[in-house]
Amino acid sequence: MYGYYDPPFSVEQEGISISVEKTGDGWTYKRTFGNDEVEKLILGDRKRIIINPVEPLNTPKEITPNLLIEFEKTLLLAEGDKKQIFLTFPIEIGVFISESKNKSPQLLDVFSLARQKFTLYGEVSNGVVCKHWRSSLYSSFPSLNPLQEGVMELTLRNVSSDWASISKAVFSAYGMKLYYDGDVFMKARMDILNRNTAETGFEMQPLNGEMKGYLVKDQKIRKEAFGVYGLRKLGFVPLKFYMGWGF
């Protein structure tokens, strides 16, 4: 389902139906998934439609830019160690209108097949609301439904002088970069600073030149997805998340 479409078109997968059809001087966008139906009128000339995964923090509405991933099993990491694991994260699907290569696309619709749950990270009085997701821990790249779950490659680094007991990680949507091609992928890091604090962020090395906007991982080329948060012009926003209430 992910990709670029020139109207008119119709695509169906996993119970999702998306179409754009000519209506008078405009175009009608329709999307159905179960009992959820969306219909919008697009005026003007023909536009290219882009369907790709986006940051999992836009549905059912934008409540928080923070994603908390809870590990199914607590992980112990010795002082000075650096290890790599794989986690899952929920997928949201964004539909964009693209007018030209020189202009940023406009978000038309966003929805998700994944369940929606929120939690509080930190203290009740001044904690942070987060989208909640529970993930298994994997030592290698898992096979998932790319319309519902993505794979996060997480590099853990314990720079403290103690063993670290890790049961969760919190990430900011403003730093997320998603890539897709048969799967959905993003690469993140988590630095354990001391017994109670850590810092998370994202690490990407996209290709330059003609391959700008792509990422090569394990000899597989993935295309960078347009993000909802990445398209905003909000000035300075923190791309990292400081975990001050434990992990």
Side-chain angles (χ1 to χ4, degrees):
M1 176 168 283
Y2 297 139
Y4 290 66
Y5 297 86
D6 291 319
F9 76 91
S10 178
V11 60
E12 294 186 17
Q13 189 174 345
E14 299 284 338
I16 307 165
S17 175
I18 296 176
S19 66
V20 177
E21 301 294 341
K22 187 68 175 176
T23 306
D25 293 331
W27 300 85
T28 298
Y29 167 82
K30 291 183 180 180
R31 188 262 298 169
T32 60
F33 175 61
N35 295 325
D36 186 19
E37 298 185 4
V38 173
E39 184 171 327
K40 296 182 179 181
L41 180 62
I42 305 170
L43 298 178
D45 297 331
R46 181 184 302 184
K47 313 292 184 183
R48 171 165 280 193
I49 301 298
I50 304 169
I51 305 175
N52 70 203
V54 297
E55 310 93 341
L57 293 147
N58 305 283
T59 61
K61 58 181 180 180
E62 294 182 27
I63 295 175
T64 173
N66 302 311
L67 172 67
L68 185 152
I69 300 180
E70 179 186 357
F71 302 172
E72 280 193 350
K73 295 181 180 179
T74 298
L75 186 152
L76 297 175
L77 187 65
E79 58 180 283
D81 268 8
K82 179 180 179 181
K83 299 294 182 182
Q84 185 182 89
I85 62 171
F86 293 90
L87 304 171
T88 66
F89 64 92
I91 290 296
E92 292 185 7
I93 300 170
V95 183
F96 298 83
I97 301 176
S98 177
E99 187 173 359
S100 69
K101 292 183 178 180
N102 299 324
K103 292 185 178 181
S104 297
Q106 173 65 40
L107 181 67
L108 179 64
D109 187 20
V110 61
F111 59 99
S112 180
L113 281 65
R115 60 115 178 98
Q116 306 294 318
K117 184 178 179 180
F118 294 85
T119 189
L120 181 71
Y121 172 68
E123 300 174 354
V124 175
S125 59
N126 60 351
V128 178
V129 175
C130 300
K131 175 72 75 71
H132 177 271
W133 181 257
R134 186 173 173 84
S135 172
S136 298
L137 304 178
Y138 300 90
S139 58
S140 60
F141 207 101
S143 178
L144 305 169
N145 179 352
L147 295 178
Q148 188 168 357
E149 292 180 280
V151 178
M152 174 188 288
E153 179 186 289
L154 179 63
T155 299
L156 299 164
R157 185 175 61 169
N158 184 4
V159 298
S160 76
S161 57
D162 300 299
W163 278 81
S165 178
I166 310 166
S167 61
K168 56 182 171 288
V170 184
F171 303 91
S172 169
Y174 290 105
M176 288 182 182
K177 289 289 186 181
L178 276 65
Y179 294 81
Y180 66 97
D181 180 17
D183 54 47
V184 182
F185 174 77
M186 62 177 167
K187 186 176 181 180
R189 63 169 179 81
M190 181 177 183
D191 294 332
I192 309 301
L193 305 179
N194 57 50
R195 189 183 296 271
N196 295 308
T197 59
E199 184 181 82
T200 65
F202 295 89
E203 298 179 345
M204 281 298 161
Q205 295 179 339
L207 301 176
N208 296 317
E210 294 182 358
M211 294 299 292
K212 184 178 180 180
Y214 292 83
L215 176 77
V216 174
K217 169 69 177 174
D218 297 332
Q219 299 182 335
K220 184 173 185 178
I221 300 176
R222 295 180 177 86
K223 183 174 180 58
E224 182 178 352
F226 289 103
V228 177
Y229 285 80
L231 292 175
R232 293 173 177 166
K233 308 295 184 181
L234 296 179
F236 175 78
V237 291
L239 302 182
K240 302 175 183 178
F241 189 92
Y242 182 77
M243 298 180 64
W245 286 293
F247 39 81

